Amino acid sequence: MVAAKVSNNEVFTDVALHLQDLVLGNPCVEQVLGDLAAYAAGRLSIRGEEVSCGIWLVRSRKSSTAAGSDPPARHMVRAEGSCGQGPGVSASDHKEAVHVSDLRLEERWPQYTRAVAGQGILSALSVPLTLESPSRGVLNLYSRLPKAFDGPCIDRAEAFAEQASKGLRLVLRLARLQDTRDELKAAMESRTVIDLATGAIMAKHKCSQHAAFKVLLRASNTRNIKLHDVASQVVATLSGNPGAVTHFNE
């Protein structure tokens, strides 16, 4: 069994490199997960025993993301998100692979099994991805055959997930850097618009900066509008240009 795992790791060393190529071509996490699901389904299928793949990912301050190699796989993984239960949720919670040999006989997650009935999927395998906290993810494999995932299949799936996790950690680090950049840019834009509006009010009403800012704040609270939006309206009105932007938008 150990020898088989070593061999599988050697076979799947290209997975992390494949993910790096994906993120260089398209840094969108959702697109990367969709491509990875299709790639996993292709790599982990064998002739006569094809599998589909669904990937579930949760990131800090982000809604969960689900991707699948085909419509049934997407339905299966999204059903877990809706129900809050299923093999993927259990694999994530317990940090170990969860195998369902026949969904028709499964009793652990009644709401989930009802939600996925009719998809033609009879067996499933969920393997947790090893990501940096607080991110969590699961690689789910589905088959239209019962008892499709034996010991060697589980070993191969775990080896694939181990290599995929390496690439996904890089993808998520890059995504966090992009999010930080976007947040910083938005904060700078907001601060600039507020400063411009404050200055415009000061010039028009010959008042102090503190008094001008209080005018903006009062308008924001009274009208229940974000301070940035009130400031944008002031700048647009006083400049006579409704499309006025800051230099950060250029």
Side-chain angles (χ1 to χ4, degrees), residues 127-169:
V127 180
L129 296 165
T130 306
L131 306 176
E132 295 174 341
S133 182
S135 297
R136 294 182 296 138
V138 179
L139 177 78
N140 301 282
L141 299 178
Y142 307 108
S143 173
R144 296 183 178 276
L145 302 174
K147 302 179 181 179
F149 303 104
D150 57 12
C153 288
I154 295 174
D155 289 343
R156 293 185 74 241
E158 289 180 333
F160 186 97
E162 181 181 347
Q163 294 299 325
S165 296
K166 295 177 182 178
L168 279 176
R169 288 197 292 270

Side-chain angles (χ1 to χ4, degrees), residues 11-82:
V11 169
F12 293 128
T13 51
D14 65 300
V15 177
L17 293 176
H18 180 75
L19 269 170
Q20 291 177 32
D21 290 339
L22 287 178
V23 75
L24 288 174
N26 186 345
C28 173
V29 172
E30 290 77 9
Q31 183 63 49
V32 169
L33 290 184
D35 290 344
L36 176 60
Y39 185 70
R43 289 297 309 275
L44 295 172
S45 291
I46 59 177
R47 182 170 298 179
E49 296 182 14
E50 288 76 16
V51 300
S52 55
C53 174
I55 299 175
W56 173 68
L57 178 67
V58 177
R59 295 182 285 161
S60 176
R61 298 187 296 169
K62 298 283 186 179
S63 58
S64 62
T65 304
S69 60
D70 54 31
R74 287 191 289 273
H75 179 88
M76 298 290 288
V77 74
R78 287 170 181 166
E80 291 204 54
S82 299

Side-chain angles (χ1 to χ4, degrees), residues 87-105:
V89 173
S90 294
S92 176
D93 289 344
H94 299 291
K95 296 180 173 55
E96 62 181 13
V98 174
H99 177 218
V100 182
S101 60
D102 194 330
L103 278 165
R104 296 169 299 185
L105 307 176

